[in-house]
Amino acid sequence: MELAALATRAVPGLSPTGVADAPDDARDFMAAVVVDASGNRWRVRGPQHSQAAMRLETEVQVLRGFSTAIRAELPFRVPSVAGATRVDDMRVFVYNHLPGASVELPALTGASAELVDDIGRTIAAVHGLSETVVDHADLPRYSAERLRQRRLNELDAAAATGLVPALLLRRWEHAMEDKELWGFAPTVVHGD
C-alpha cells in the first residue's frame, strides 16, 4: 500500500485500484505493480539502501537514453519512466509495467529453439546498440586496452590474496599479455 501511495505522488492523476507484489531482489528493492482505474499496470520500485539507490538511478539514466527511434529498432519492449518521488535521500520510480517472468538459467537448458533464438536476437540487439545510448546515460565506456588494464588490476588484487593457484595466475597473465585477445572493438553490453 505504501508503494501505491508513493506512485500517486510520483505520477499526477494516477488513481490506484489494486496492488500486487512484483518479483524483485528484496534485499535491494521494494517493488509492487499498481493497477489504475483504466486497467493500466505500473511497476513501482524503491531502493532499500544507498547502493541499491545508485543502481536504480543508473537504470533510470539508461532507460531515459533510449530514444523513440532506438526503441523502434529493438526486438523487445523497454519500460519508460513515468515519474519519481523522493523518500528521504532516495528516489522511488514508477515505470509502465511490462509483463513477463524471470527464468532461471537451468530452465533454459531444455528451452525450445524458438526461445533460444529470441534470447540470441535480444542479446544481439543490445550488442548492436549505438554507443550514444551509453553516452546519453552517462555510463562508462572502455577501450579494449583500458578494459585489459582494468582486468590486469583485478588480477593483481586476486594474486595479492595468495588464494589463487600459481598455475591459474600464469594462465590469466598469459591471456592478459596476448594482444590478439585484446584487439576487439568495444560494444554495448547489458552489464547486469
Side-chain angles (χ1 to χ4, degrees):
M1 294 305 259
E2 177 185 352
L3 288 175
L6 290 170
T8 62
R9 198 164 82 189
V11 181
L14 178 65
S15 180
T17 59
V19 179
D21 284 333
D24 212 322
D25 184 349
R27 293 173 309 211
D28 292 339
F29 302 101
M30 51 186 175
V33 173
V34 174
V35 180
D36 69 16
S38 300
N40 298 314
R41 298 168 65 85
W42 305 91
R43 184 172 179 84
V44 185
R45 291 183 80 207
Q48 298 278 35
H49 50 80
S50 60
Q51 188 176 19
M54 289 178 15
R55 285 180 41 211
L56 194 54
E57 294 285 345
T58 300
E59 178 181 296
V60 167
Q61 280 182 288
V62 170
L63 291 175
R64 289 185 172 148
F66 285 97
S67 67
T68 304
I70 291 170
R71 288 171 186 265
E73 295 294 320
L74 294 172
F76 53 87
R77 291 174 39 206
V78 177
S80 297
V81 178
T85 188
R86 190 160 291 285
V87 176
D88 299 323
D89 59 341
M90 297 183 276
R91 294 195 301 168
V92 172
F93 292 93
V94 180
Y95 312 78
N96 63 309
H97 177 69
L98 298 181
S102 296
V103 177
E104 295 295 323
L105 189 57
L108 294 177
T109 58
S112 69
E114 183 179 303
L115 178 59
V116 171
D117 287 346
D118 283 346
I119 292 169
R121 277 191 294 280
T122 298
I123 293 170
V126 170
H127 292 322
L129 285 169
S130 165
E131 291 179 1
T132 58
V133 172
V134 173
D135 294 338
H136 283 122
D138 200 25
L139 294 170
R141 191 197 302 188
Y142 303 108
S143 66
E145 179 54 30
R146 188 162 171 218
L147 184 60
R148 186 181 80 84
Q149 190 57 53
R150 288 174 53 94
R151 296 299 173 252
L152 271 170
N153 293 342
E154 291 171 358
L155 181 59
D156 289 344
T161 67
L163 300 174
V164 181
L167 182 64
L168 184 56
L169 279 175
R170 280 195 301 280
R171 192 164 109 200
W172 286 347
E173 286 169 348
H174 289 301
M176 296 295 163
E177 293 167 1
D178 185 348
K179 294 290 186 179
E180 285 187 31
L181 291 177
W182 299 96
F184 59 85
T187 188
V188 175
V189 295
H190 188 278
D192 218 1

